[in-house]
Amino acid sequence: MKKLLFALLIMLMFSCLSTASEPVVAVDISTPVTTKTDTPQKSTYREENYQPMSFNAMMVNFYHTTGISALIEPQKGVLTSHGEPMSDFHQTWGRLIMFGVTFILFYLAIAKGFEPLLLLPIAFGGLLANVPIANMAGPDGFLGIIYHMGIANGLFPLLIFMGVGAMTDFGPLLANPRLALLGGAAQFGIFGTLVGAYALSQYTTIFDFTLQQSAAISIIGGADGPTSIFIASTLAPELLGAIAVASYSYMALVPIIQPPIMRALTTPEERKIRMRTLRHVTKLEKLLFPILVLMLIIFILPDAAPLVGAFALGNFFKETGVVDRLSDTMQHALINIVTIFLGLAVGSKLAADQFLVVDTLAILGLGLLAFSVGTAAGVLMAKLMNIFSDEKINPLIGSAGVSAVPMAARVSQKEGMKSDPSNMLLMHAMGPNVAGVIGSAVAAGVMIALFK
């Protein structure tokens, strides 16, 4: 204690000596003294703008901020995600109808198992897009940001193609190259719908699609979502949302749309046709094929190079066998993440003000026609090939020529097993299925080269 008091006394003495030794400076009182406190400071003062109100008034104001009020009492000045005035119908009944549509998609995905990886994100995005007041599909909303991040600029389709390429095995196609004709025939739906869409615009007053818009709509017939988005963003960005919704909806609904067409165009005997075991394809063949395809695209159709290049990149990495980590990432993590974002972004276009309009419904109708024609063309091509060939092809695999990979091939397998449970068609169906992927990308390149 004594030591502590002594130390304090010493410190006090030194403090007094240092203060006394400082010179006294005379200050001119006529000159303003600038101190640190004279530096302008940002004021934190805020004027109170909240006006006290009664409890009843507070409850009324709260009610007008609820979704119930927005769905029952449409307001003037409500804007769509594009900044245009929204109609009373789209604010009320339109949103309720779209809620019903999304619930149906939930049912198909969960209870029926119709491509839940696609339908669930799309349906949930549609549900969020129709939430009143929150404006999640707007440019600054959750869904709007995702949409502009990867759909509007065409990034997501290329990443999806990269992942699909890493998951694709060209073995069935290389083992039986003539199956590529089935993939080519299925693209007939694309060019047929191009003519149909443009004819509707020329000979009716209901539709007014330009040649570029007709080309973008027709690509839905390939049942290839990434390709549809890619060509729409180039030729008809104003229809991008409707085309994306139509394309991915039909991809997910392949198990509903295709079987009736397949059964109508084939006989029970044709559905029982067994195809011989495929030959072994060497690793060198699988390595060279994506590079050769890409080189042909580079020399003949560069406009298709982004899609085919991404697809070839993923497949080449897979077949080399020396970058398994990268290939595995493309096949799983990358494509899963992009699928979530892409599904939500596509679902954002299920907002009532964008979906329940004449142009969107027309695009859905034309897309269904294109997809149906493409399915039928693949089946009929297989039947035609059987006339001139001793080695018969089961016509069911012709429907897999649309590029919905691997959904269309699974549908061919399932329909074949209904006629003969022991008939394995899946690997054979993968031949025209992967040919359809390349075919739709080439068709897109042709459209861009002709109409850009």
Side-chain angles (χ1 to χ4, degrees), residues 55-183:
F55 178 77
N56 289 339
M58 291 177 65
M59 290 298 99
V60 170
N61 282 352
F62 177 76
Y63 167 73
H64 287 303
T65 65
T66 64
I68 297 174
S69 173
L71 293 172
I72 296 176
E73 303 173 3
Q75 302 293 320
K76 299 296 181 182
V78 176
L79 302 179
T80 67
S81 59
H82 296 297
E84 301 172 354
M86 185 183 294
S87 69
D88 291 351
F89 170 76
H90 289 143
Q91 290 186 55
T92 54
W93 287 107
R95 281 173 171 156
L96 293 175
I97 291 172
M98 293 312 300
F99 286 153
V101 171
T102 58
F103 294 152
I104 292 173
L105 296 179
F106 285 148
Y107 172 78
L108 294 175
I110 299 171
K112 297 297 183 180
F114 291 158
E115 297 306 326
L117 292 178
L118 281 177
L119 273 190
L120 279 181
I122 292 174
F124 212 94
L127 183 63
L128 295 177
N130 286 283
V131 174
I133 300 175
N135 195 25
M136 280 189 277
D140 298 323
F142 168 53
L143 299 177
I145 293 172
I146 296 176
Y147 181 84
H148 290 286
M149 178 177 68
I151 298 290
N153 59 16
L155 174 63
F156 287 167
L158 299 179
L159 296 179
I160 289 288
F161 251 59
M162 194 185 301
V164 171
M167 294 189 294
T168 298
D169 181 8
F170 282 115
L173 178 61
L174 295 173
N176 194 357
R178 64 179 181 151
L179 296 181
L181 294 175
L182 302 180

Side-chain angles (χ1 to χ4, degrees), residues 277-290:
T277 304
L278 301 174
R279 74 171 180 85
H280 174 69
V281 178
T282 65
K283 181 176 180 178
L284 181 60
E285 289 178 282
K286 293 183 177 181
L287 275 173
L288 291 177
F289 184 74

Side-chain angles (χ1 to χ4, degrees), residues 64 81 100 115 126 148 166 186 211-212 217 255 283 287 292-293 298 313 331 333 341 371 388 420 426 436 442:
H64 287 303
S81 59
E115 297 306 326
H148 290 286
L211 196 55
Q212 289 181 317
I217 293 169
K283 181 176 180 178
L287 275 173
L292 290 176
V293 170
I298 291 173
L313 167 65
Q331 295 180 48
F341 287 153
F371 183 62
F388 303 98
D420 181 358
L426 182 60
V442 170

